[in-house]
Amino acid sequence: EVQLLESGGGLVQPGGSLRLSCAASGFTFSSYAMTWVRQAPGKGLEWVSGFSGTGGSTYYADSVKGRFTISRDNSKNTLYLQMNSLRAEDTAVYYCAKGQGGYYYSPTDNWGQGTLVTVSS
Amino acid sequence: DIVMTQSPDSLAASLGERATINCKSSQSVLSNNKNYLTWYQQKPGQPPKLLIYWASTRESGVPDRFSGSGSGTDFTLTISSLLAEDVAVYYCQHYYSTPWTFGQGTKVEIK
């Protein structure tokens, strides 16, 4: 059974940093594309960043480019999102999601429960 | 960026009735005979759940009352006979190019 468990969320001041983790199990992590999607309180879904399972390509939304960095440690079956220079508008539940294959442009078929990031003074 | 627009924003239907949600993309998401379009269901306090991918392929375990159709820029999610457990927000999303974008969501309720 595929499991994705996000952690690392919390309350941070504007301008601060957080690193989110997504521990994966139940599948061969290194072979699959992975994605971060966020959802502000009471709002819709917003794609944040992605990492292909093949070739090592990374992708970012313009709203986070230059501030967030996605990475993965295939030996630990873990996906990360390093978030710097956080802003109030980054407040959201952050979900990690698994692609159906290694190629990035494929559907995401499993999602974690999410971790809440609150940026506030 | 490709803009995804859903209609309606909300709908209320009686139990057993058909519910239809539309999704329009600002440019075609069709390539190599595949439409790069998914539908998700999200219930309160839960992550999104994949229902339909490649615009019309039902995910394993999803009841067959859910179906997806359309091509190019116009897509539809149909719930053929609404059940109480289908109350949720439904999102379309393209994965044709980055940034991936979602529709604004359609809230489905029971009348």
Side-chain angles (χ1 to χ4, degrees), chain A residues 65-84:
Chain A
K65 200 171 294 181
R67 300 188 299 123
F68 290 11
T69 302
I70 191 171
S71 62
R72 63 193 298 164
D73 185 337
N74 290 335
S75 69
K76 295 183 178 179
N77 292 341
T78 302
L79 179 73
Y80 301 100
L81 187 67
Q82 177 66 45
M83 306 187 296
N84 298 332

Side-chain angles (χ1 to χ4, degrees), chain A residues 36-108:
Chain A
W36 288 100
V37 172
R38 68 186 180 184
Q39 187 168 36
K43 302 297 184 183
L45 300 165
E46 179 188 14
W47 174 82
V48 173
S49 182
F51 205 124
S52 68
T54 55
S57 298
T58 59
Y59 310 87
Y60 296 95
D62 284 347
S63 58
V64 307
K65 200 171 294 181
R67 300 188 299 123
F68 290 11
T69 302
I70 191 171
S71 62
R72 63 193 298 164
D73 185 337
N74 290 335
S75 69
K76 295 183 178 179
N77 292 341
T78 302
L79 179 73
Y80 301 100
L81 187 67
Q82 177 66 45
M83 306 187 296
N84 298 332
S85 303
L86 282 162
R87 307 166 179 167
E89 55 264 36
D90 296 318
T91 295
V93 173
Y94 285 72
Y95 296 103
C96 75
K98 166 190 164 291
Q100 281 193 343
Y103 180 57
Y104 189 65
Y105 298 96
S106 62
T108 50

Side-chain angles (χ1 to χ4, degrees), chain B residues 50-105:
Chain B
L50 177 64
L51 296 177
I52 303 285
Y53 56 97
W54 302 122
S56 60
T57 302
R58 196 179 302 113
E59 170 71 335
S60 175
V62 172
D64 60 7
R65 66 180 180 276
F66 292 93
S67 63
S69 63
S71 185
T73 62
D74 292 279
F75 302 91
T76 300
L77 175 70
T78 300
I79 309 172
S80 61
S81 181
L82 194 65
L83 300 183
E85 67 200 52
D86 300 333
V87 169
V89 178
Y90 293 83
Y91 295 92
C92 63
Q93 177 233 322
H94 84 85
Y95 46 99
Y96 179 85
S97 60
T98 55
W100 295 357
T101 52
F102 293 84
Q104 78 276 20

